[in-house]
Amino acid sequence: QVQLVESGGGLVQAGGSLRLSCAASGRTFSRYAMGWFRQAPGKEREFVAAISSWSGGATSYADSAKGRFTISRDNAKNTVYLQMNSLKPEDTAVYYCAADANGRPSRGPDYDYWGQGTQVTVSS
């Protein structure tokens, strides 16, 4: 059983940066792959980035995130991060973190646990 709480969202100007954090409860955090998804108003939820459970952290990124966003994790702190640089207005969305018990960085919606989301707004 895992509970996830996102933080770090807010209002930022285009070209700026934000770092999102997702704190997880439980003693088995290191077994879970972690992912970030986002949902803009009127649009479907979409994959952003994911990281594997094992040491070394194999990662996967959406094309829109490559070169700008970086996912990382600190298993000692039960926390996953999403560093977002060069933000654009089209990045505006509610960002959700998710945990997957299979330990692989899935790009799909088949995650076991989801956070409540944190709002990111990028102004032009």
Side-chain angles (χ1 to χ4, degrees), residues 42-101:
K43 296 184 178 181
E44 295 184 351
R45 185 173 57 191
E46 65 176 354
F47 169 80
V48 178
I51 187 166
S52 66
S53 62
W54 53 85
S55 180
T59 58
S60 180
Y61 294 94
D63 288 342
S64 61
K66 290 179 180 177
R68 299 190 300 127
F69 294 2
T70 302
I71 188 170
S72 62
R73 68 191 297 160
D74 186 339
N75 288 344
K77 296 182 178 180
N78 281 12
T79 302
V80 64
Y81 305 96
L82 184 68
Q83 178 67 46
M84 303 187 293
N85 299 325
S86 301
L87 284 163
K88 305 173 182 179
E90 51 263 44
D91 294 318
T92 295
V94 176
Y95 284 70
Y96 300 89
C97 69
D100 190 344

